[in-house]
Amino acid sequence: MGRLQVQLQNQAPMPLAAEFECAAGELIALVGPSGSGKTSLLRAVAGLLRVPQLQGTVQVGDQPWFDSARGICLTPQQRRVGLVFQHYALFPHLTALENVAVACPSSLDIRQDASLRALFERLGLAGLEQRRPAQLSGGQQQRVALARALRRILRPQDGRVEPGGVLLLDEPFSAVDAPTRQTLYRELAALRQQVSTPMVLVTHDLSEARRLADRVVIVDAGATLQSGPPERVFSSPRNARVADLVGIQNHFRGRFRRLPDDRGVLRWEGQDGAGLDLQVIDKHRLDDGVAVTWVLAGEHVDVLLPAAAAPADDTQNRLLCTLVEVLALGETSLCTLVPEGLASEKLTLNLSTAQLRRLGSDVGGKLLVQIPRQGIHIMPQRTGG
Amino acid sequence: MDYQAARVSLLLAAATALLLLPPGLWLARWLALSAWRGKPLVEALLMLPLLLPPTVIGFYLLLAFGQGSALGAWLASALNLRLVFSFEGLLLASLLVNLPFMVQPIQRSFAALPHSLREAAWVSGLSVWQTFWRIELPLAWPGLLAGVALTVAHTLGEFGVVLMVGGSIPGETRTLSVAIYDRVQAFDLGGAHGMALALVVFSLLALALVFAADRRQAAARTLQER
């Protein structure tokens, strides 16, 4: 069973500096804004990216698919790739069954082929075999495209299904409506139990990546910036650019100062020159006095009423803030708070509506925002990888 | 009705369409897919017969094929082939002037195929050749049909080049359109009428076929864009 290992570089016209791997049975998500090169990386794995100067390797198991140093470049036909295209790319003149059967010609009559029938049943397409793509709904078209891709990697041999290759999904859920998307998410999660090849999903949707992927790889301008389990990448981005890309709202500027005993002070600097000191942990990755970007991990933050608060210990930061805006979103409310003495900065917190009601606080009221030291994540200000 | 002329016309149209289809298909597909920098020049050359007066084309063909030219002399001595005032010469001229009518619609239908379909076929394991036969051709056939229909209709209607290169030899180079001209010159308006009407009806049918084919292709396109 093959692990996918990709390591690619390219100069102009399309700069690439990418490195990622995907174990057998693992699902990774390449995440980045449109035009970031994530689809190009997927196409490079499939052998569809034709760039003369492309350098690096693409390897599946012990089989090199691409190796610029050794002059190896397999054609898309020679690579065992199941690829679901963004707009499915179903063949409009063929029936659903024929569309899927194209991916693995067998000597059997396709109507008698038990493995094809099983695939249709597994994806909830039974009964739709003779429909043309135009006669299928968006969700059904997506499933036919998925069936075609699976057919390529679940190659039947002597009646046995022996998987291999890689499954690539290029924004597969972007063209269907929201309810269908939820169904398809669940189906993909169920399908993962049965597919043991590496799976690479390309998406610009962060919540989709978070929900589906074992690991996310953040891609920007053709470069892979950071990879790891979603919760880690989303809570501790490596630098300010990653923080931007993963949509962290609370990121601010400041200056880091070292104290003894692994402690540090973060001077939170506002735009008007004012500042606030925050207690932080010194992870010995930053020099004394360096300018930093820092983010607030929302799950660590608590909100208290100023009058009711017990005295804080020195592992906690407490900021007296004014609640300036509340946006009710149902179960949660998006609150904007301005810290006392730092009028140019705004904290955005997603509080539960029930908690807000319990506090009895309203716009204009005062709240204590409690931030433990580990809730502050500090990164160098440079945006480079 | 000059049935001999009708036979020459139909033979010429059929031969032109059949001989032009394979190279026209190849050229059209290449033009549709190529990103080569010299492509606009090739396309301009291809369209030139549409803009030039038929007399200009006929004149140069006469110069090129005539006994006075090296090519004409060689063809006559080596192959015993006379291309001026003969059916063979007429056919060659017809192939040249019909190239844009054959290539244009086919090129458009290949250019309209989403490239992702080709790529989907490749990653599914189909070779370039299998992709052409099983995916591209079945989807581009309305363009092929339009190319053939336009070529046939245009060959039947061609007049200037025919007169310049072929003249009006009954049973050899006198086509329907030349026969109509001869009838009118001889004040036989009734004879001209029948043939003229036949040409109008046939051309109208051919054009209707072209537009019907175009609609089919448009329907295939909308599916892809959904």
Side-chain angles (χ1 to χ4, degrees):
Chain A
M1 199 57 57
R3 173 185 196 82
L4 169 70
Q5 288 165 295
V6 179
Q7 187 252 316
L8 292 168
Q9 299 91 38
N10 191 49
Q11 310 298 321
M14 185 197 299
L16 286 179
E19 197 171 350
F20 61 91
E21 352 186 304
C22 184
E26 188 183 30
L27 195 156
I28 65 165
L30 302 182
V31 185
S34 43
S36 59
K38 52 195 192 305
T39 293
S40 298
L41 291 176
L42 203 69
R43 293 168 56 82
V45 174
L48 294 172
L49 187 73
R50 296 279 167 191
V51 206
Q53 301 301 319
L54 191 63
Q55 300 286 314
T57 55
V58 174
Q59 182 152 344
V60 175
D62 51 8
Q63 202 188 0
W65 283 5
F66 175 75
D67 189 336
S68 55
R70 288 196 281 163
I72 297 172
C73 183
L74 300 190
T75 64
Q77 288 90 345
Q78 291 167 325
R79 304 179 187 204
R80 210 163 142 195
V81 164
L83 174 54
V84 177
F85 287 78
Q86 186 171 6
H87 297 288
Y88 317 138
L90 295 177
F91 308 122
H93 60 301
L94 301 180
T95 64
L97 193 64
E98 289 165 338
N99 260 287
V100 177
V102 157
C104 182
S106 83
S107 48
L108 294 167
D109 177 0
I110 56 171
R111 288 172 206 216
Q112 308 294 321
D113 190 329
S115 64
L116 258 182
R117 209 168 43 234
L119 188 57
F120 268 69
E121 264 164 32
R122 183 199 287 183
L123 289 172
L125 289 167
L128 302 173
E129 289 88 346
Q130 299 308 318
R131 297 257 189 106
R132 295 278 171 93
Q135 300 164 311
L136 297 169
S137 72
Q140 289 166 340
Q141 289 185 25
Q142 204 266 0
R143 287 189 200 110
V144 173
L146 185 59
R148 185 173 66 184
L150 288 173
R151 176 71 170 172
R152 180 81 174 140
I153 54 172
L154 305 173
R155 181 186 294 167
Q157 276 175 351
D158 314 325
R160 246 168 2 101
V161 173
E162 187 206 333
V166 291
L167 180 63
L168 306 176
L169 307 153
D170 186 5
E171 302 263 8
F173 309 109
S174 64
V176 290
D177 54 58
T180 309
R181 196 174 305 156
Q182 295 302 321
T183 314
L184 292 171
Y185 285 168
R186 277 194 293 278
E187 286 178 7
L188 181 64
L191 188 74
R192 292 199 45 197
Q193 312 299 318
Q194 300 159 46
V195 179
S196 47
T197 61
M199 286 166 273
V200 183
L201 168 75
V202 157
T203 181
H204 66 271
D205 185 335
L206 296 164
S207 63
E208 184 172 295
R210 198 170 198 153
R211 176 159 176 186
L212 296 173
D214 300 316
R215 281 188 308 121
V216 295
V217 178
I218 306 292
V219 184
D220 185 43
T224 47
L225 299 184
Q226 187 175 1
S227 70
E231 60 279 8
R232 215 188 66 219
V233 173
F234 287 87
S235 68
S236 33
R238 179 183 290 166
N239 59 36
R241 182 63 186 148
V242 176
D244 261 344
L245 291 173
V246 300
I248 290 175
Q249 286 171 317
N250 293 315
H251 65 111
F252 308 100
R253 287 165 177 274
R255 197 164 289 276
F256 176 73
R257 253 186 20 251
R258 268 192 167 158
L259 295 176
D261 306 329
D262 297 343
R263 290 183 302 126
V265 171
L266 173 69
R267 178 78 177 169
W268 179 7
E269 292 170 343
Q271 279 149 23
D272 50 8
L276 263 177
D277 282 343
L278 299 168
Q279 304 293 320
V280 293
I281 300 169
D282 181 11
K283 291 178 181 164
H284 301 282
R285 290 204 203 120
L286 294 167
D287 297 328
D288 192 39
V290 70
V292 295
T293 300
W294 66 278
V295 300
L296 197 59
E299 65 264 33
H300 291 288
V301 177
D302 200 4
V303 178
L304 317 161
L305 276 179
D313 57 54
D314 63 352
T315 64
Q316 306 274 5
N317 296 288
R318 281 188 174 170
L319 302 177
L320 187 63
C321 297
T322 310
L323 188 58
V324 294
E325 192 186 28
V326 176
L327 200 61
L329 304 170
E331 281 176 36
T332 62
S333 295
L334 197 63
C335 302
T336 309
L337 298 126
V338 174
E340 204 90 322
L342 205 53
S344 67
E345 302 300 292
K346 283 189 176 101
L347 289 171
T348 309
L349 297 176
N350 213 358
L351 303 176
S352 95
T353 306
Q355 185 188 10
L356 204 61
R357 196 177 303 128
R358 215 166 33 241
L359 291 171
S361 193
D362 212 341
V363 175
K366 300 280 182 200
L367 284 173
L368 257 184
V369 176
Q370 176 166 292
I371 308 165
R373 292 196 303 182
Q374 66 269 26
I376 293 175
H377 181 75
I378 308 176
M379 312 161 273
Q381 212 168 60
R382 268 181 307 110
T383 54
Chain B
M1 186 74 156
D2 184 342
Y3 287 103
Q4 207 175 31
R7 209 179 63 87
V8 171
S9 268
L10 287 175
L11 198 62
L12 184 64
T16 303
L18 280 179
L19 289 176
L20 208 50
L21 184 57
L25 179 57
W26 177 82
L27 186 61
R29 187 177 178 276
W30 177 77
L31 284 172
L33 302 185
S34 163
W36 183 51
R37 267 197 298 168
K39 197 172 88 166
L41 189 66
V42 178
E43 287 179 299
L45 269 174
L46 201 68
M47 298 299 277
L48 208 54
L50 286 182
L51 294 181
L52 288 177
T55 44
V56 172
I57 303 167
F59 172 67
Y60 280 120
L61 286 175
L62 273 182
L63 278 189
F65 299 149
Q67 299 281 358
S69 79
L71 180 67
W74 180 79
L75 283 173
S77 67
L79 303 173
N80 196 23
L81 192 64
R82 211 165 50 86
L83 289 180
V84 174
F85 303 119
S86 71
F87 183 77
E88 289 80 9
L90 198 56
L91 181 57
L92 193 65
S94 175
L95 290 174
L96 283 177
V97 298
N98 273 300
L99 209 50
F101 293 93
M102 182 62 87
V103 168
Q104 266 285 310
I106 304 181
Q107 182 184 344
R108 277 208 304 148
S109 67
F110 272 97
L113 292 183
H115 189 55
S116 60
L117 288 186
R118 258 172 233 117
E119 295 183 332
W122 298 341
V123 293
S124 296
L126 297 190
S127 68
V128 171
W129 189 241
Q130 288 171 321
T131 303
F132 175 74
W133 280 109
R134 294 181 57 185
I135 309 298
E136 293 179 27
L137 207 53
L139 289 170
W141 74 263
L144 271 69
L145 186 67
V148 168
L150 279 177
T151 300
V152 167
H154 179 250
T155 308
L156 291 181
E158 181 57 61
F159 174 71
V161 176
V162 176
L163 203 60
M164 290 285 283
V165 178
S168 178
I169 305 165
E172 174 83 14
T173 63
R174 182 191 283 168
T175 61
L176 266 185
S177 52
V178 174
I180 294 171
Y181 178 71
D182 286 349
R183 287 298 91 211
V184 175
Q185 293 285 298
F187 295 107
D188 175 10
L189 295 189
H193 243 314
M195 292 187 279
L197 191 64
L199 273 185
V200 168
V201 169
F202 188 89
S203 299
L204 193 63
L205 284 177
L207 277 177
L209 195 66
V210 169
F211 283 112
D214 206 49
R215 240 174 70 166
R216 273 199 77 110
Q217 179 120 20
R221 259 201 305 276
T222 39
L223 167 69
Q224 280 309 311
E225 281 159 10
R226 257 198 348 187

